[in-house]
């Protein structure tokens, strides 16, 4: 089975950047990422703009995007109210979002910091999104801090397993497990997957690694070993969460692609397109040269 890559740079990659990045620049980055041919592109999130200012214009980005055949789109939605904003923007867009991402945290402290609610309350919000969608779109359920929390330290695999079951019961099509701060060791990552796979088949699980501790590719090998064939990554290793201290970047798409190739796994990414997307991403966050607005 070929590896499926979700390119997260336009959302998870940019959300922690302080300097303003324009709608045209974000559209250019998404188009560049699409040229690299990932399976899915996470184009942005419909969240409280006061909490994540960089994502305040996701609706405008979606409306400005052209159709990008062959690439699925994903947006992150925290609650039913924000879902309405997304659906309004989608109605005016040529680009087709095919998947909604929802998220919960494996720890109470991070849930309060990131979502402003308890873990139980976050599951109620996810249920509200399902009810509002009415089965109209696929839903990917993320568990943040699935190995380590910036506030509580190591996370119990049992807590991950319980949330994995809850997201399955709610109706998620896919489960995404996130080592949000990049401190997961291969042993703890394996325990995380094993706990989740009591209720999820490996083919329906996505691995989301940050490379803070330099172990993202080792952890990717663990994921491959337990049968996971779907990964999140970000060109140029962009990434970070405003509410997760010590989470500077996702595993780089280009590094993951090279690693998978060395392991003999196909991934469908166009290497020339990927190099161009990496160069643009670096330029956007470094502001070394202008981006053509079109």
């Amino acid at each position: 089975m070929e590896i499926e890559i979700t390119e997260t740079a336009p959302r998870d990659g940019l959300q922690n950047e302080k300097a303003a990045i324009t709608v045209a620049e974000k559209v250019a980055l998404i188009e560049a990422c699409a040229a690299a041919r990932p399976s899915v592109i996470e184009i942005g999130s419909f969240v409280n703009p006061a909490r994540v200012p960089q994502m305040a214009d996701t609706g405008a980005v979606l409306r400005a995007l052209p159709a990008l055949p062959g690439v699925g789109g994903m947006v992150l939605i925290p609650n039913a109210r924000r879902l309405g904003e997304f659906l309004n923007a989608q109605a005016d867009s040529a680009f087709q979002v095919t998947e909604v991402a929802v998220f919960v945290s494996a720890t109470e402290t991070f849930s309060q910091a990131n979502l402003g609610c308890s873990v139980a309350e976050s599951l109620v919000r996810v249920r509200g999104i399902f009810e509002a969608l009415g089965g109209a779109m696929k839903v990917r359920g993320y568990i943040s801090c699935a190995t380590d929390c910036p506030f509580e330290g190591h996370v119990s695999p049992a807590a991950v397993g319980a949330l994995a079951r809850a997201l399955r019961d709610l109706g998620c099509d896919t489960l995404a497990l996130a080592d949000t701060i990049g401190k997961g060791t291969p042993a703890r990552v394996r325990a995380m997957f094993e706990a989740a796979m009591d209720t999820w088949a490996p083919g329906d699980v996505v691995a989301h690694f940050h490379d803070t501790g330099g172990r993202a590719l080792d952890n990717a090998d663990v994921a491959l070993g337990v049968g996971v064939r779907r990964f999140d990554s970000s060109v140029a290793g962009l990434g970070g969460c405003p509410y997760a201290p010590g989470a500077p970047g996702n595993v780089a798409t280009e590094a993951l692609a090279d690693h998978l190739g060395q392991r003999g796994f196909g991934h469908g990414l166009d290497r020339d397109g990927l190099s161009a997307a990496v160069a643009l991403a670096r330029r956007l966050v470094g502001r070394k040269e202008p981006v053509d607005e079109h």
Side-chain angles (χ1 to χ4, degrees):
M1 176 182 177
E2 188 168 84
I3 303 300
E4 294 184 9
I5 302 294
T6 295
E7 178 53 61
T8 67
R11 198 281 297 179
D12 201 9
L14 296 182
Q15 69 174 359
N16 210 31
E17 293 295 321
K18 303 304 181 188
I21 300 172
T22 68
V23 168
E25 289 172 327
K26 291 174 182 176
V27 169
L29 178 61
I30 293 166
E31 290 179 314
C33 290
R37 299 177 188 167
S39 301
V40 179
I41 300 176
E42 186 181 35
I43 67 161
S45 59
F46 287 81
V47 294
N48 186 337
R51 290 177 63 82
V52 190
Q54 193 65 255
M55 294 291 104
D57 56 6
T58 296
V61 171
L62 178 54
R63 288 182 171 93
L65 279 171
L68 297 172
V71 178
M74 184 172 77
V75 294
L76 187 148
I77 307 288
N79 53 52
R81 174 188 171 190
R82 301 295 174 185
L83 177 65
E85 296 176 11
F86 155 63
L87 293 174
N88 287 336
Q90 177 67 93
D92 297 330
S93 177
F95 178 76
Q96 186 62 47
V97 173
T98 55
E99 194 172 4
V100 165
V102 298
F103 56 105
V104 296
S105 171
T107 68
E108 291 291 343
T109 309
F110 187 69
S111 185
Q112 291 289 349
N114 193 37
L115 291 171
C117 68
S118 70
V119 174
E121 289 168 333
S122 71
L123 288 169
V124 172
R125 293 181 183 183
V126 170
R127 182 180 295 110
I129 292 171
F130 271 99
E131 291 172 352
L133 274 175
M137 195 170 295
K138 290 184 177 180
V139 178
R140 181 185 301 194
Y142 277 84
I143 301 178
S144 301
C145 297
T147 63
D148 294 81
C149 172
F151 309 108
E152 299 184 25
H154 297 344
V155 171
S156 163
V160 175
L163 280 175
R165 286 190 294 276
L167 291 172
R168 167 65 86 187
D169 291 344
L170 284 169
C172 287
D173 301 280
T174 307
L175 175 71
L177 298 173
D179 176 18
T180 305
I181 60 174
K183 289 190 175 182
T185 64
R188 290 206 302 280
V189 166
R190 181 178 294 277
M192 168 192 76
F193 282 123
E194 289 175 348
M197 288 175 185
D198 279 347
T199 48
W200 285 86
D204 294 327
V205 175
V206 179
H208 180 109
F209 295 122
H210 284 234
D211 203 28
T212 314
R215 290 186 289 258
L217 295 178
D218 292 336
N219 291 335
D221 284 341
V222 173
L224 291 167
V226 298
V228 172
R229 296 294 183 266
R230 304 171 75 174
F231 291 84
D232 286 353
S233 60
S234 175
V235 291
L238 301 185
C241 174
Y243 301 98
N250 295 278
V251 63
T253 305
E254 61 274 19
L256 180 62
D258 289 346
H259 186 72
L260 291 170
Q262 291 164 6
R263 291 284 314 273
F265 289 94
H267 49 68
L269 292 170
D270 179 90
R271 206 58 179 83
D272 290 339
L274 183 56
S275 295
V278 169
L280 175 57
R282 288 175 175 162
R283 195 158 77 241
L284 282 179
V285 300
R287 288 297 192 272
K288 293 180 180 179
E289 46 185 300
V291 176
D292 291 336
E293 300 207 0
H294 57 85

